[in-house]
Amino acid sequence: MRVLLVEDDRALSLGILHALQREGWQVDTLADGEQAAQVGTLREHTLAVLDIGLPRKSGMEVLRHWRAQGVTMPVLLLTARDDLADRVQGLDAGADDYLVKPFDLPELLARLRALRRRSAGLTEDVLCFAGLELDMAGHELRCRGERVSLSPRELALTELLMQKAGRVVGKDSIVARLSSWEADFSENSVEVYIHRLRKRFADLGVVIKTVRGFGYVLEAAEGAGGSAE
Ligand code: CA
């Protein structure tokens, strides 16, 4: 889960950043509308939190630019005051939700979870596949009721594989989803993490198959107990 956070109030931006990171999300922060307009069109993010009052380009202009470029990621707007015109304009411009400052961080997090569910076509924060149950709100993977201990990145990779279970997930899209600009997450790192997950999944009844030249696919293991390659 990679979020683009565009907010020029440094203290607020840091507060949101830390809250999102505690939830296990990868976050990229920007404080400038012009940059945000460009970065959003790279389609590397699952969600965006976008302030309206930004230097160089307003959040509203950024949002219009994204939508004109066909960028469909859910966008939550942050508005400085309870201004009806702003909210109406924002929703008309393609925002999926908005919050009026000041707001409580738990509310922001709950709304982002709801946006993620909607965009993934889910009604609750749980992904299920072949005996695995991923609780995205509680950051926990369970297999037949038992907790499987995973690091935040392993969990993020598992989420990506489970969302597309049975279909190929490209190596490049794993890199895009799991890296932040400051972290050096390469295709080699993907291999390292896939290797670790394979070990963790060895007895859980699922396997991660390699599709050479493309990426990976999560499948139910054939036969009982699964197989470690
Ligand atoms: Ca601002």
Side-chain angles (χ1 to χ4, degrees), residues 6-9 12 31 51-55 78 80 101:
V6 192
E7 169 59 71
D8 61 322
D9 177 331
L12 180 59
D51 184 29
I52 288 188
L54 291 170
L78 301 179
K101 296 178 189 176

Side-chain angles (χ1 to χ4, degrees), residues 54-134:
L54 291 170
R56 300 219 289 164
K57 228 185 188 75
S58 78
M60 212 71 87
E61 290 172 288
V62 173
L63 177 60
R64 287 203 186 96
H65 176 76
W66 287 349
R67 294 312 188 218
Q69 298 294 310
V71 175
T72 56
M73 71 174 157
V75 174
L76 184 142
L77 280 181
L78 301 179
T79 77
R81 61 213 132 91
D82 194 2
D83 183 329
L84 181 67
D86 261 10
R87 288 179 343 225
V88 171
Q89 251 186 43
L91 292 170
D92 279 345
D96 299 88
D97 200 358
Y98 63 85
L99 264 182
V100 178
K101 296 178 189 176
F103 51 83
D104 292 323
L105 285 174
E107 181 174 8
L108 174 68
L109 296 176
R111 296 223 192 178
L112 292 179
R113 284 195 295 270
L115 283 182
R116 176 178 58 182
R117 280 197 301 273
R118 251 184 274 157
S119 71
L122 300 169
T123 50
E124 49 182 340
D125 273 330
V126 179
L127 283 175
C128 298
F129 178 70
L132 292 185
E133 227 182 75
L134 180 69

